[in-house]
Amino acid sequence: MERANVPHTTIQRLPGYLRCLLEAEDQRMPVVSSVQLAEMCGTNAAQVRKDLSYLGELGTRGIGYDVEALISYISSVLGITERRKAALIGYGRFGGALLGYSGFPERGFEIVAVIDADPEKVGTEVDAASGPVAVSDVSELEDVLRRTGAEIAILATPARVTQELADRIVASGVKAILNLAPVRLTVPDDIAVRQVCLSTDLQVLSFHLAHNPL
């Protein structure tokens, strides 16, 4: 399967399918139909079949999808069959909350570095969900990223410094950035960036509340 042949919107839905399949596995369901998977994921069966068709011939007509096999295949497509090393840049209240998120190690991600500019935090040891990590100084960012082999940088930093840090992250060789700061990053085309903006999402929710009052 060529990744280039899989639509971006399908790739965005794959983690949701994986989550639902893991729930099905917990419920001891050996096989799941497209209808069942659609109901669990909040979509429709036609969309499920279309998305999974991009990955190959995975199901059996009239029977459905083997849950264990599909979990393994989607995990492989998403590149999470091996542990991915991530660095958290910004150890404020938001960053601290993320650090203990059990979903990281459960989904194959390990926080291998925590980086901050606060001299009172630098040098201290903090508890990540995947194990204790020492806080490094932001002045050593490039060295820390290279030394730990971090593949993903998670930016939980003030907006005013985020682009500068992103530039340094790119220069260090990291190819994937999860940006939690409320600023749009400018990076080279070969850098994968996911933007998470809580304030924007809250405003969208506010819109729905304003136009659909309870």
Side-chain angles (χ1 to χ4, degrees), residues 30-190:
V31 176
V32 64
S33 69
S34 58
V35 173
Q36 290 172 313
L37 188 55
E39 290 176 349
M40 296 175 72
C41 296
T43 182
N44 61 76
Q47 185 67 69
V48 170
R49 290 192 295 269
K50 182 177 181 180
D51 285 336
L52 297 183
S53 71
Y54 288 111
L55 309 184
E57 298 295 331
L58 303 177
T60 302
R61 185 180 295 275
I63 298 177
Y65 301 93
D66 181 289
V67 171
E68 184 178 355
L70 193 52
I71 287 173
S72 177
Y73 195 78
I74 292 179
S75 296
S76 176
V77 171
L78 292 173
I80 56 175
T81 52
E82 299 181 5
R83 297 192 74 80
R84 294 287 186 184
K85 296 180 178 180
L88 174 65
I89 297 102
Y91 184 54
R93 281 178 291 185
F94 193 16
L98 284 173
L99 194 62
Y101 175 50
S102 62
F104 286 149
E106 289 175 359
R107 295 295 182 268
F109 298 93
E110 178 185 3
I111 301 295
V112 295
V114 178
I115 301 170
D116 200 86
D118 187 343
E120 293 187 3
K121 297 174 182 176
V122 172
T124 62
E125 190 174 84
V126 294
D127 291 322
S130 52
V133 184
V135 180
S136 300
D137 193 292
V138 70
S139 65
E140 303 173 354
L141 183 144
E142 292 87 349
D143 178 63
V144 172
L145 293 178
R146 295 189 183 104
R147 175 167 46 81
T148 58
E151 302 169 274
I152 301 170
I154 303 172
L155 279 168
T157 51
R160 66 182 183 278
V161 299
T162 301
Q163 181 63 58
E164 176 189 347
L165 289 171
D167 293 341
R168 294 175 61 188
I169 290 166
V170 170
S172 74
V174 172
K175 296 292 186 180
I177 299 173
L178 176 62
N179 181 29
L180 306 175
V183 59
R184 187 67 58 180
L185 296 177
T186 300
V187 297
D189 292 340
D190 63 337

Side-chain angles (χ1 to χ4, degrees), residues 21-32:
L21 287 164
L22 290 169
E23 291 176 5
E25 184 179 53
D26 288 342
Q27 297 172 22
R28 301 184 183 279
M29 296 171 61
V31 176
V32 64

